[in-house]
Amino acid sequence: MAIIGVIGLGNMGSVIATILAKETTNTLLLANRTAEKAKKLAVTLDATAVSNRKVFEQADIIFIGVKPHQIQELLEENNEILEKRESILLISMAAGVTLEQLESMTDTRHRWIRMMPNTPLQVAEGVISFSLGKNATLQDKEVFLQLLQSGGTVVELPESQIDAATALAGCGPAFVYIFIEALAEAGVSMGLSREVALQLATQTVKGSASMVGETKEHPVILKEKVCSPGGSTIAGVISLEQTGFRTSVIEATRCAKQRTEELGQ
């Protein structure tokens, strides 16, 4: 049994806490700038709401979900505790903050993992990319995977690729939601009710994603199977190409990666 702490209960921190709560043999400590939020979530998850200080004093594994510009201050405020503790595992969700930066903020005996989750973890269909710090062990990796694998797909990457994964999988859901919304709006413009249009758009995206995942066929091949010669689908695809749809998605993801890198500076 381990004592696990989560500091920072925003959208991602709350989802991570919910996943961690599924492992009932561990003790879960929750801390947040707004204490009332921690208390409310603690009741729901059968966890314990505490201060940041208590988390650093008691937890064996700490997930840190504060914003990138707040993480150094948080660690400095609790540095006295960290200097006295035996080696603990610290897991950062701060976009753009590198392992080298994180390791420089704490005593060298502590171990770090850098992770980037996305919001579909809430429905067990998420993506978590992660990289191990220089002191993190294979056992740390195994524990990390065991704790979070119920949330979806967990992928280990070289740290040099984490910002790209953040832009694609971390920011990508927002781009997909815009596409679903636009597809549904198109349906409404053609006379479908909003309820039916959204239902059809949502299932179309879900089903299409499942086709890619389950058949393992490249999206180009699957697209070609839908595009009959001279048919309605190819007419729509040509329109997307003419309006720069593909380029827009690529550029949006590249911009997201650039911003992620800026957040860590």
Side-chain angles (χ1 to χ4, degrees):
M1 185 179 80
I3 301 175
I4 302 175
V6 181
I7 297 176
L9 300 172
N11 291 332
M12 284 316 318
S14 296
V15 172
I16 293 297
T18 301
I19 294 171
L20 295 172
K22 295 177 182 178
E23 180 52 74
T24 56
T25 60
N26 296 319
T27 298
L28 184 60
L29 306 178
L30 304 179
N32 192 65
R33 181 176 58 182
T34 306
E36 194 57 39
K37 185 173 185 178
K39 292 177 183 177
K40 185 176 180 179
L41 186 60
V43 171
T44 302
L45 301 181
D46 193 25
T48 303
V50 296
S51 65
N52 291 345
R53 184 177 181 85
K54 286 293 183 184
V55 172
F56 280 107
E57 287 176 341
Q58 299 177 11
D60 307 302
I61 302 169
I62 303 175
F63 287 80
I64 302 177
V66 301
K67 297 184 186 305
H69 69 274
Q70 297 173 326
I71 193 165
Q72 183 169 0
E73 181 180 356
L74 172 70
L75 294 169
E76 287 177 350
E77 287 175 350
N78 294 278
N79 188 54
E80 181 182 347
I81 299 169
L82 288 170
E83 287 182 343
K84 296 177 181 177
R85 295 273 326 256
E86 295 297 325
S87 177
I88 60 177
L89 179 59
L90 299 164
I91 302 169
S92 168
M93 293 179 262
V97 183
T98 67
L99 284 167
E100 182 178 5
Q101 290 172 308
L102 294 166
E103 289 165 345
S104 72
M105 297 176 194
T106 56
D107 190 284
T108 54
R109 73 170 72 93
H110 300 302
R111 297 110 62 208
W112 279 97
I113 293 178
R114 180 183 172 191
M115 67 176 283
M116 182 48 61
N118 69 4
T119 53
L121 288 170
Q122 187 172 344
V123 292
E125 292 288 353
V127 174
I128 296 173
S129 55
F130 75 98
S131 294
L132 300 178
K134 62 183 180 182
N135 293 330
T137 66
L138 288 178
Q139 183 178 1
D140 291 331
K141 175 181 172 179
E142 290 172 4
V143 169
F144 178 82
L145 292 172
Q146 181 182 10
L147 289 172
L148 297 177
Q149 62 187 358
S150 67
T153 300
V154 186
V155 181
E156 183 177 11
L157 294 172
E159 192 187 12
S160 60
Q161 297 178 8
I162 287 289
D163 286 343
T166 299
L168 194 158
C171 306
F175 309 155
V176 175
Y177 300 146
I178 291 171
F179 177 68
I180 293 173
E181 180 189 21
L183 203 58
E185 287 294 300
V188 172
S189 75
M190 295 180 291
L192 296 175
S193 70
R194 288 193 176 276
E195 181 181 5
V196 169
L198 184 57
Q199 179 185 21
L200 295 180
T202 301
Q203 185 57 40
T204 297
V205 171
K206 181 180 179 181
S208 301
S210 294
M211 283 284 286
V212 176
E214 293 183 20
T215 67
K216 307 302 181 185
E217 291 190 277
H218 195 281
V220 168
I221 302 300
L222 293 172
K223 180 197 71 176
E224 289 178 354
K225 290 181 178 181
V226 186
C227 294
S228 302
S232 54
T233 304
I234 191 62
V237 169
I238 290 172
S239 176
L240 286 176
E241 295 291 0
Q242 289 174 335
T243 54
F245 176 77
R246 187 193 306 260
T247 302
S248 294
V249 173
I250 293 171
E251 186 59 26
T253 308
R254 289 169 59 87
C255 286
K257 178 179 182 289
Q258 182 179 343
R259 181 55 180 156
T260 298
E261 293 170 339
E262 292 171 353
L263 289 171
Q265 295 175 359

